[in-house]
Amino acid sequence: MSWLMYIVIAAFSLLALAYYKIKKMFRFYKDRNIPYVEPKFLLGSDPEGVLFRTHIGDSWDKIYKQLEGKPMGGFFQTVLPFLMIRDPEYVNQVLISSFDHFFDRNFLIDEEINPLDAHLFLLRGNRWRFLRNKLSPIFSAGKLRWMFEEMEKCGDVFVECIDKLADGKDRDVLEELARYATDVIGSCAFGFETNSLSDPNSQLRQMGRDLFDSTGFNWTQISFLLRFSVPRLLLWLKLRSIPSSVENFFCSTISSVLETRRKTGLKRRDFVQLLLQLKEKEVVEIDTNDVDQDEQENNQNNEVEKIEITDRLLMAQSFVFFVAGFETTSRTLHFLIYQLAHHPEIQERARQEVLSIKEKHAQFSYDALKHMTFLDNCISETLRMYPPIVMLNRECTKDFSFSDGTSIKKGEQIVIPIYSIQRDPKYFPEPMKYNPDRFTSDPQRGAYLPFGDGPRICIGKRFALVEIKIVMARLLERYSFEPSSLNKEPVELNPWTNILSPKNGLWIKIQKLNDCK
């Protein structure tokens, strides 16, 4: 028998073994008598999402609806089994009451290949617990008040930019919103002026484009799918999770900022200053009154061991501040302005509240923003309909049984479909109707999760909401928004991005209010 024949036999044997293993994997839920959605070979329970024909939120919404009437059920993302939690009661068990069984995400990282992956969103186990405990004070109300002045400056420049577009013509202002978010993050996270609003080609803005390119096939999207669906593959192949140009820019930029601060003693009201304080003193100074009750409860006893805080670790936290805060904020503002344009009566209510509060406080101060409750409701309703992150994922860290008897073993994966739950009429009647008044009372816990919940709730939630409100108050004071005939309804989602975003833009018309001309 020739050597070629041996190779052919070996190849067929490996393929047969792989086929057997995959078919056996696809019996994962059937053998355990758990309801599930049948998969297609190699492509999972909904190939449309895996092949980027539909957005992952719409893809999993199909699965969610196929499991109607079940509190949970199984599905496959490529060949990996996930248990989808559909019922808010069980969601709360995973995120809050039984958090110690589900505190990790299923992402794996190699810090030598991808040093910027060592951030709070991806870290696991004790390193996550320690770092979360250390970083939480940085996002307290007091520290946000401290950074507020930098955010105000960016808001002022943004209004000047929009002033040039307030001509009643059809506009999609996503690029301007992205540049605003870039300037806020640049100033508050990295401590330098990016001037993206005056220079659309600034370096930091270009990095955002490279990371979140949504025009078609891109490596960031593919690497996320691999990390999520076959998490060990990136490690085995030693692949980069982000483009090398992006990694080099952030590493060199943040390293330079840290070195300059240490040499010159320069102090700014920003994230970098607080990180330096954390590295030097191993604690961020804080008044305990600045931390709300939820945050205190979420971080009790999280510091289980001491982890060395290196410059590389600080770089990773600065990087994720940009990744998590830039695209999500600009997309939320994008959808919010679009909805206000289509609902002029809601827009006017928000405007009157803004004007009334400014008259009372004389300016849009940090304290003034806290009283804009109807604007809060508008933001909440926007996040309900269009959550930037469409799902939460968790890994079981020790065996657990739900109250209905369903058991899950250590290492198995869970998905909570935020997008689908928040559009379920059981929890939000007439879910496709934009109705901020539904948030005059708190929604059912476990049914509204744009920032997650429990100890792993988004650490930058308060920062993002202030960033959104500070610019929306200024816009409502000066401009009115009207719908454009260029929009297609319903909004079609772009399948080439993990962040929830429209495929064909969101078009509006901007007019100056009479007393602001």
Side-chain angles (χ1 to χ4, degrees), residues 86-98:
R86 301 178 74 261
D87 187 286
E89 178 185 341
Y90 295 100
V91 169
N92 286 331
Q93 284 190 1
V94 170
L95 298 182
I96 304 171
S97 62
S98 299

Side-chain angles (χ1 to χ4, degrees), residues 253-278:
T253 299
I254 300 167
S255 177
S256 175
V257 171
L258 292 173
E259 184 179 358
T260 299
R261 296 285 179 92
R262 289 182 178 122
K263 284 183 177 179
T264 65
L266 174 69
K267 295 183 184 296
R268 276 183 56 121
R269 295 178 179 271
D270 57 29
F271 187 61
V272 167
Q273 196 65 42
L274 296 171
L275 288 177
L276 281 169
Q277 186 183 108
L278 176 60

Side-chain angles (χ1 to χ4, degrees), residues 15-53:
L15 286 172
L17 179 61
Y19 180 81
Y20 169 77
K21 291 283 190 184
I22 291 170
K23 293 295 286 185
K24 184 179 180 182
M25 177 70 79
F26 284 167
R27 292 183 57 88
F28 185 80
Y29 291 113
K30 185 175 183 179
D31 291 344
R32 296 167 65 184
N33 200 31
I34 294 174
Y36 72 105
V37 178
E38 287 277 0
K40 302 291 191 297
F41 190 70
L42 293 180
L43 295 177
S45 296
D46 185 55
E48 296 293 301
V50 173
L51 296 174
F52 303 108
R53 292 173 181 165

